[in-house]
């Protein structure tokens, strides 16, 4: 069967499943293009409040297809550069997407698969899942924003070890380090991710979008700039109908109904 991205819905959550049988869900350019298209459609749909990305067959993603990479060595460098640009567009789409995106990881997230999980807003992983920055094992350097994500979330010595040594790191250790939000029993990462997504689906979409944007902007803003951004988002959200509903529901001790 060819590599493909499967799309299903669970209530208000869009579930995107990486499927590449025989290659442990290795990435293909078509997957990224399909994911970007699916996210663009879902962004315009009020029926979608969150997104979960997972892998088929008990495996998240083994990263790049090494046979394709070997073949690309016989092509002009621009061929591989174009392929990586497609991956990076995928990563940036997730990072800037206004709705929450959760990775549900079973098996292994290796190489660009690890990068993809790091690009998501939250990560749910089975207790026996493993993560692997496999690039240096085949004499390559990272892509997919892996070095950026790890440099911003881990102490430099640990990020260096993960990228240079290429050793596996368990989901439980990443949970202790704060890179994995929830641990699940093996086989239940998707179910746990959907439960988390459902909690987010009950919250005001505009507020969640502001939180995601503020967190992304914080990395390159001064405190003064960021305080201004927080002010602007707060005022905008206060005057959104959802704030009126949220405050009224709190005062009336009932569940809010957000648009």
């Amino acid at each position: 069967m060819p590599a493909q991205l499967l799309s299903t819905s669970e209530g208000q959550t869009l579930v995107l499943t990486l499927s590449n049988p025989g290659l442990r869900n290795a990435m293909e350019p078509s997957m990224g293009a399909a994911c970007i298209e699916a996210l663009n459609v879902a962004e315009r749909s009020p029926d979608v409040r969150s997104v979960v990305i997972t892998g088929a067959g008990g495996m998240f993603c083994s990263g790049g297809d090494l046979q394709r990479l070997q073949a690309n060595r016989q092509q002009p460098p621009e061929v591989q550069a174009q392929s990586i640009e497609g991956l990076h567009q995928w990563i940036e789409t997730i990072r800037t997407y206004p709705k929450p995106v959760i990775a549900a990881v079973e098996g292994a997230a290796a190489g660009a698969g690890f990068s993809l999980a790091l690009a998501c807003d939250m990560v749910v992983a089975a207790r026996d899942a493993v993560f692997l920055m496999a690039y240096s094992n085949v004499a390559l350097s990272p892509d997919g924003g892996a070095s950026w994500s790890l440099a911003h979330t881990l102490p430099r010595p640990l990020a260096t070890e993960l990228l240079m040594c290429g050793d596996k790191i368990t989901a439980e250790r990443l949970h202790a380090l704060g890179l994995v939000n929830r641990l699940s029993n093996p086989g239940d990462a998707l179910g746990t991710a959907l439960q988390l997504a459902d909690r987010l689906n009950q919250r005001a979409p505009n507020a969640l979008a502001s939180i995601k944007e503020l967190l992304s902007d914080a990395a390159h803003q001064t405190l003064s700039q960021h305080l201004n951004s927080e002010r602007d988002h707060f005022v905008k959200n206060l005057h959104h109908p959802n704030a009126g509903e949220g405050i009224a529901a709190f005062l009336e001790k009932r569940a809010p109904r957000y648009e």
Side-chain angles (χ1 to χ4, degrees):
M1 294 178 64
Q4 57 184 325
L5 184 79
L6 307 177
S7 177
T8 57
S9 294
E10 293 285 343
Q12 293 179 302
T13 301
L14 173 67
V15 180
L16 300 175
T17 303
L18 307 174
S19 177
N20 192 356
L23 290 177
R24 303 169 73 233
N25 299 333
M27 287 184 176
E28 292 290 339
S30 60
M31 286 179 171
C35 186
I36 292 170
E37 180 179 0
L39 291 176
N40 287 337
V41 172
E43 182 176 351
R44 299 188 294 270
S45 173
D47 296 327
V48 177
R49 293 285 182 96
S50 61
V51 178
V52 170
I53 298 177
T54 191
M59 170 66 62
F60 186 69
C61 177
S62 62
D65 180 349
L66 292 182
Q67 292 183 344
R68 182 167 58 84
L69 291 177
Q70 185 74 295
N72 281 354
R73 295 186 70 250
Q74 311 306 315
Q75 302 295 323
E78 292 77 13
V79 172
Q80 184 59 37
Q82 184 176 9
S83 177
I84 292 177
E85 286 293 334
L87 169 63
H88 289 177
Q89 184 181 1
W90 185 6
I91 297 297
E92 284 195 299
T93 298
I94 293 171
R95 295 286 302 192
T96 59
Y97 192 66
K99 301 177 183 183
V101 182
I102 303 170
V105 180
E106 297 276 358
F114 195 172
S115 301
L116 178 64
L118 290 171
C120 296
D121 300 305
M122 287 185 263
V123 179
V124 173
R127 291 185 181 276
D128 61 352
V130 294
F131 295 76
L132 172 65
M133 279 298 167
Y135 299 94
S136 67
N137 294 342
V138 289
L140 293 174
S141 54
D143 61 4
S147 54
W148 187 93
S149 294
L150 293 178
H152 281 79
T153 53
L154 294 178
R156 182 182 174 91
L158 181 53
T160 301
E161 178 184 351
L162 287 176
L163 289 167
M164 288 190 175
C165 294
D167 294 330
K168 294 178 181 178
I169 186 168
T170 65
E172 291 193 337
R173 189 178 181 200
L174 287 183
H175 181 255
L177 291 167
L179 269 72
V180 167
N181 297 81
R182 300 280 192 280
L183 292 172
S184 76
N185 292 326
D188 196 37
L190 177 57
T192 303
L194 288 172
Q195 290 176 0
L196 177 57
D198 190 56
R199 285 190 62 191
L200 299 174
N201 294 345
Q202 308 310 312
R203 296 180 176 270
N206 57 294
L208 298 186
S210 284
I211 291 168
K212 182 166 180 175
E213 185 175 336
L214 285 166
L215 288 171
S216 295
D217 290 347
H220 56 80
Q221 285 184 330
T222 64
L223 175 59
S224 178
Q225 291 170 329
H226 200 71
L227 289 172
N228 289 337
S229 294
E230 286 190 334
R231 176 201 62 210
D232 294 344
H233 278 277
F234 190 99
V235 171
K236 179 181 69 174
N237 288 315
L238 178 63
H239 290 275
H240 191 284
N242 280 336
E245 168 63 11
I247 294 170
F250 182 84
L251 295 175
E252 297 166 12
K253 298 182 176 163
R254 61 173 174 82
R257 296 178 295 275
Y258 296 120
E259 63 181 43

